[in-house]
Amino acid sequence: MTTTSSPPAGTPSAARRRVLVTLAKAVGATLTAAIAAPVALFLGHPLRRSSVRFATGLTRVGPVEHFELGKPMKVAVTAPRQDAWLTTPAVTVGSVWVIRTAEKPPAFTVLSTTCPHLGCSVNATGEAETPFRCPCHNARFGLDGTKVVLGGTNPAPRPMDALEHAVKDDALWVRYERFKTGTAERIPVGSGAA
Ligand code: FES
């Protein structure tokens, strides 16, 4: 009968085994890096993420004298747009209803045209009682954006969204913002195009 036993540590074959294990680990690490690097580059590429940003400051929407007292006027809002490679100076990000509320000094109400119910575009009606109406599900609003309940129903969960604005250099400036629809609470979701 024959018996086998491991060579004692320090013998040539134990040393060879340690070298082989070290080499195998080094090869494994190199292969992992070779596979992981292109994947990481692919996942990190600008085209794979939402890299479009819009300026969030106040945007000039028109000279003060452009707006008539008490008459809603719809104006487009533009903002510089930055993506992975380009800055575009003026891109339309949305529109607002502007209502001039005082002549001197000039004062305004600025409302998002996006219906807070499900996001349709709110229209002006020319009617005194309900100057704003959403054509999708008939939500109605007053000149200051408050909900008007006619016949006991109004599907809008909150008033029209009033936007921050300022008068400077004889012009009206607006900070355009979008808010989550379908919620009673105003939850900002961004400043750029949807
Ligand atoms: S989206 Fe405006 S009433 Fe429904």
Side-chain angles (χ1 to χ4, degrees), residues 1 12-13 37 78 86 97 168 188:
M1 189 169 99
S13 96
T78 60
L86 287 175
W97 283 110
K168 57 178 182 176

Side-chain angles (χ1 to χ4, degrees), residues 114-122 133-141 154-156:
T114 303
C115 180
H117 180 221
L118 292 176
C120 291
S121 188
V122 174
R133 176 180 173 272
C134 177
C136 290
H137 311 98
N138 210 26
R140 291 169 184 261
F141 305 93
N154 186 331

Side-chain angles (χ1 to χ4, degrees), residues 30-120:
T30 305
L31 284 175
T32 302
I35 293 166
V39 171
L41 283 174
F42 174 70
L43 292 175
H45 192 275
L47 285 177
R48 288 195 50 80
R49 60 179 187 263
S50 177
S51 56
V52 174
R53 293 189 305 278
F54 292 88
T56 54
L58 290 167
T59 301
R60 188 183 188 279
V61 294
V64 160
E65 71 266 16
H66 187 60
F67 303 101
E68 264 180 61
L69 191 66
K71 185 175 175 189
M73 184 171 285
K74 189 176 182 177
V75 290
V77 180
T78 60
R81 176 185 186 274
Q82 169 79 57
D83 65 22
W85 295 281
L86 287 175
T87 299
T88 312
V91 171
T92 299
V93 292
S95 57
V96 295
W97 283 110
V98 175
I99 305 100
R100 185 164 184 168
T101 55
E103 286 285 8
K104 279 191 177 144
F108 298 89
T109 295
V110 180
L111 304 169
S112 170
T113 59
T114 303
C115 180
H117 180 221
L118 292 176
C120 291

Side-chain angles (χ1 to χ4, degrees), residues 124-133 140 150:
T125 64
E127 298 165 9
E129 198 178 10
T130 54
F132 293 112
R133 176 180 173 272
R140 291 169 184 261
L150 284 181

